């Protein structure tokens, strides 16, 4: 082996030990930064819905995951296809949304109560709602439909 080959081999070994080894393969010498896409929850996990009919009231609950919110103006209740006014909502928070502008939102949890005392048994109640993730994903409008007891 000549001196030139020996020096080339030695410098190659030195460079291999000097270059850091990365555990993942996302490293690139040509990228100026690594980009990661946030992972979003499915809609039914971001906005966990439940309901309970107790005597004359239908109580509707949402457990809203941290980093997610529901729009106040997207909440609607229809009974047998007719719009029903929602009353008694808790205080909402003012928020500037990149898609809908200045809106009112609910975070963490929400409960509303729908009086059902005057309804015929087996009336169809549909709850309409929509929410987003703070990180930038808006979910399509969602509905939950059920029959009163």
């Amino acid at each position: 082996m000549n001196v030139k080959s020996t020096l080339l081999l030695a410098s190659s070994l030195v460079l291999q030990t000097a270059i850091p080894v990365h555990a993942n393969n996302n490293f690139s010498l040509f990228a100026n930064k690594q980009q990661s896409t946030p992972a979003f929850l499915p809609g039914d996990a971001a906005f966990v819905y439940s309901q309970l009919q107790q005597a004359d009231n239908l109580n509707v609950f949402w457990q809203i995951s941290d980093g997610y919110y529901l729009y106040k103006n997207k909440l609607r209740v229809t009974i047998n296809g007719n719009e029903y006014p929602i009353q008694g909502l808790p205080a909402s928070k003012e928020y500037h949304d990149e898609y809908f502008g200045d809106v009112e939102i609910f975070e963490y949890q929400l409960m509303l109560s729908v009086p059902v005392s005057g309804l015929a048994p087996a009336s169809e109640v549909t709850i309409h709602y929509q929410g987003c993730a703070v990180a930038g994903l808006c979910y399509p409008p969602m509905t939950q439909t059920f029959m009163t007891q």
Side-chain angles (χ1 to χ4, degrees), residues 33-77:
K33 65 179 181 177
Q34 288 182 331
Q35 295 179 359
S36 63
T37 304
F40 294 106
L41 295 172
D44 60 348
F47 314 106
V48 179
Y49 174 91
S50 61
Q51 69 193 33
L52 177 63
Q53 185 173 340
Q54 295 177 310
D56 292 344
N57 286 311
L58 172 68
N59 297 311
V60 178
F61 307 92
W62 287 271
Q63 187 64 43
I64 305 167
S65 297
D66 192 32
Y68 295 80
Y69 55 88
L70 288 175
Y71 294 107
K72 180 178 181 179
N73 67 347
K74 301 294 182 181
L75 283 173
R76 292 185 318 120
V77 175

Side-chain angles (χ1 to χ4, degrees), residues 1 4-21:
M1 194 184 271
K4 191 174 183 180
S5 297
T6 305
L7 285 176
L8 186 58
L9 179 61
S11 64
S12 164
L13 291 172
V14 169
L15 282 175
Q16 286 179 2
T17 59
I19 295 174
V21 176

Side-chain angles (χ1 to χ4, degrees), residues 5-139:
S5 297
T6 305
L7 285 176
L8 186 58
L9 179 61
S11 64
S12 164
L13 291 172
V14 169
L15 282 175
Q16 286 179 2
T17 59
I19 295 174
V21 176
H22 292 276
N24 63 23
N25 291 330
N26 294 331
F27 180 76
S28 170
L29 293 174
F30 304 104
N32 58 2
K33 65 179 181 177
Q34 288 182 331
Q35 295 179 359
S36 63
T37 304
F40 294 106
L41 295 172
D44 60 348
F47 314 106
V48 179
Y49 174 91
S50 61
Q51 69 193 33
L52 177 63
Q53 185 173 340
Q54 295 177 310
D56 292 344
N57 286 311
L58 172 68
N59 297 311
V60 178
F61 307 92
W62 287 271
Q63 187 64 43
I64 305 167
S65 297
D66 192 32
Y68 295 80
Y69 55 88
L70 288 175
Y71 294 107
K72 180 178 181 179
N73 67 347
K74 301 294 182 181
L75 283 173
R76 292 185 318 120
V77 175
T78 56
I79 300 176
N80 296 325
N82 299 312
E83 196 77 25
Y84 184 85
I86 301 174
Q87 299 174 359
L89 284 173
S92 56
K93 175 183 173 183
E94 291 182 9
Y95 183 77
H96 182 77
D97 182 270
E98 71 177 279
Y99 300 102
F100 296 112
D102 293 330
V103 294
E104 293 182 57
I105 62 168
F106 297 104
E107 298 176 298
Y108 310 114
Q109 62 185 5
L110 173 62
M111 181 188 133
L112 65 92
S113 187
V114 179
V116 293
S117 61
L119 297 178
S123 290
E124 183 181 85
V125 178
T126 303
I127 308 295
H128 308 260
Y129 57 101
Q130 185 176 10
C132 286
V134 173
L137 173 72
C138 277
Y139 293 84

